[in-house]
Amino acid sequence: DGLVLARKPHLVVAEGGAGKTFSMLDLGLKVAAWEEGAGLRWWGQPVRAGGTVVMLTTEDDADELHIRIHDIDPDGLRYRAGDRWIVAPLVNMGGAFTLGERDRTGNVAPAARWLQTLDLLRGLPNVALVIVDTLNTTLHGEENSATVVGEYAKLLQPVCGEIGAALVVTHHIRKADPNNPIHTPDEMAAAVRGSSALPAAFRAVLGMWHCHDYAKRMKAMGIEPRPKQLWRMGVLKANNPEMV
């Protein structure tokens, strides 16, 4: 509610080590396992609808994903999700692939494996959410190029437009300066890596970044203060007034 909109494209950006893949697994699990009255929440907000979820992940293999899923799901929610939750580790499926390929004339067309993926999505029932983790491993050119970003956004359009699913793509921010930590959503938005066209290509941009005053906050929470344990999350850019 107020974070992920049905049938719209979203970008989730995070600092290294923030746990973006964990967070995406958690989102996918809860959307796939959703049922009325289940009381499921993601980033503190209620999950209001469900359906089939497909997550393409390019950085972890199947063994690592099994470990991560076991860690985030001690109550066995994944068994309720069943076949509605499809996690595809591309490491075990021929490796990551770019969604587009540039021909000799300079034009970009959908890559064969992306066309195959879209066909598979069309054959699944009630696809509610598609997750691509990460952008840089599926991008066909430089992330600093507005042209490449525009082409990439066009390649993704069938997910929301034709298939009717929400789309979430993960991305990184520039390397953090330990002497100048990020304090606000505006500062986090300014740290998104790549062309300024990138945030504009998505309906909403969500962010995860280290809480700079973690020691004070964790102490007040009765938790031993340790770095890289407490994170801020927020909406960095939104085109819709109902966003949190």
Side-chain angles (χ1 to χ4, degrees):
D1 184 24
L3 288 173
V4 180
L5 304 170
R7 301 178 299 278
K8 299 294 186 288
H10 308 72
L11 185 69
V12 171
V13 296
E15 290 185 357
K20 69 181 184 314
T21 299
F22 269 111
S23 189
M24 293 301 98
L25 288 169
D26 188 46
L27 173 63
L29 170 63
K30 288 173 178 174
V31 172
W34 181 88
E35 56 187 36
E36 196 72 52
L40 300 176
R41 303 180 77 86
W42 184 75
W43 282 21
Q45 293 294 100
V47 180
R48 298 181 61 182
T52 300
V53 177
V54 177
M55 178 172 174
L56 306 178
T57 180
T58 63
E59 297 181 340
D60 297 304
D61 62 18
D63 292 337
E64 177 63 23
L65 287 168
H66 279 296
I67 293 169
R68 290 184 174 220
I69 291 167
H70 179 269
D71 287 347
I72 67 170
D73 186 34
D75 299 324
L77 197 61
R78 58 194 180 276
Y79 302 114
R80 187 196 303 174
D83 291 340
R84 293 191 300 272
W85 194 32
I86 301 168
V87 181
L90 297 185
V91 172
N92 301 98
M93 302 168 67
F97 60 90
T98 60
L99 305 190
E101 295 176 345
R102 197 175 299 280
D103 62 24
R104 292 181 180 179
T105 66
N107 295 318
V108 171
R113 289 182 67 188
W114 180 234
L115 289 173
Q116 182 184 36
T117 301
L118 291 173
D119 281 341
L120 290 169
L121 290 172
R122 293 183 185 103
L124 293 171
N126 187 28
V127 180
L129 175 65
V130 174
I131 300 169
V132 178
D133 182 35
T134 63
L135 180 143
N136 64 310
T137 55
T138 56
L139 192 63
H140 59 281
E142 288 293 327
E143 61 187 19
N144 292 311
S145 166
T147 299
V148 170
V149 168
E151 293 166 341
Y152 185 76
K154 187 174 181 180
L155 292 164
L156 288 166
Q157 281 179 355
V159 173
C160 300
E162 177 190 346
I163 296 166
L167 171 70
V168 177
V169 179
T170 67
H171 191 42
H172 301 90
I173 65 166
R174 301 183 189 96
K175 189 173 181 179
D177 179 359
N179 298 316
N180 188 27
I182 294 171
H183 293 75
T184 67
D186 285 343
E187 291 176 357
M188 182 64 177
V192 176
R193 214 171 69 185
S195 168
S196 59
L198 192 53
F202 293 85
R203 180 61 62 95
V205 181
L206 312 180
M208 305 170 61
W209 67 101
H210 190 235
C211 184
H212 71 281
D213 55 351
Y214 69 90
K216 178 183 72 174
R217 293 184 178 273
M218 293 180 76
K219 186 176 180 181
M221 295 162 66
I223 302 172
E224 178 187 354
R226 289 189 295 162
K228 304 294 183 180
Q229 297 293 311
L230 191 65
W231 302 84
R232 290 180 177 271
M233 299 174 176
V235 177
L236 310 184
K237 173 251 182 178
N239 291 359
N240 293 65
E242 66 269 28
M243 298 295 283
V244 171

